[in-house]
Amino acid sequence: MERWSDIQLLWIIKETVMKVMLLTAVLSGVLAISPLYAAEKINAASEQVIPAQININTATAEELVQLKGIGQSKALAIIEYRDANGKFNSIEELSQVKGIGSKLLEQNRAKLTL
């Protein structure tokens, strides 16, 4: 059985301490950066302004997709219907658009305007 000398033990301890210090520095850097990254995402998301009401006669596809149950394809269908038939005369007329039923209309009625 080999005995390590005091110098060898000190060298092993020194190397271990150096590795722990390096790891601590790296983790500190990661932890310091991650809140900044998260804050960027939150700020980017909070900059999007969601209008209280959406005018179905003038809304863009980007505005329409903010409604419950309205994705890109339904938003485009609303715009195509509006382009083909002119302005909506009532909120109920929105149910004439393919894919827009009475349930979807009722879910969004409070957010819709002409």
Side-chain angles (χ1 to χ4, degrees):
M1 183 155 100
E2 178 182 331
R3 283 195 66 163
W4 290 358
S5 71
D6 289 343
I7 294 176
Q8 288 174 318
L9 288 174
L10 286 174
W11 185 81
I12 291 170
I13 291 170
K14 178 187 149 225
E15 290 296 313
T16 304
V17 168
M18 294 291 284
K19 288 177 184 176
V20 169
M21 289 174 62
L22 178 62
L23 182 59
T24 303
V26 169
L27 288 175
S28 296
V30 169
L31 293 175
I33 292 173
S34 55
L36 297 174
Y37 179 70
E40 266 183 34
K41 284 187 167 187
I42 291 168
N43 288 340
S46 64
E47 287 176 9
Q48 181 181 9
V49 177
I50 299 173
Q53 289 198 312
I54 295 176
N55 185 324
I56 59 175
N57 285 321
T58 60
T60 64
E62 291 78 21
E63 292 170 324
L64 291 168
V65 297
Q66 295 174 22
L67 296 167
K68 290 180 185 174
I70 304 292
Q72 189 68 24
S73 61
K74 285 183 184 174
L76 293 175
I78 293 169
I79 292 170
E80 288 173 10
Y81 180 91
R82 184 176 68 202
D83 290 345
N85 300 291
K87 290 185 174 186
F88 290 95
N89 295 312
S90 68
I91 300 297
E92 289 74 23
E93 188 181 349
L94 192 58
S95 65
Q96 299 299 315
V97 177
K98 184 179 178 181
I100 308 291
S102 59
K103 183 179 176 183
L104 193 59
L105 188 61
E106 289 309 312
Q107 286 178 330
N108 292 294
R109 185 176 294 279
K111 296 177 186 171
L112 300 174
T113 187
L114 297 174

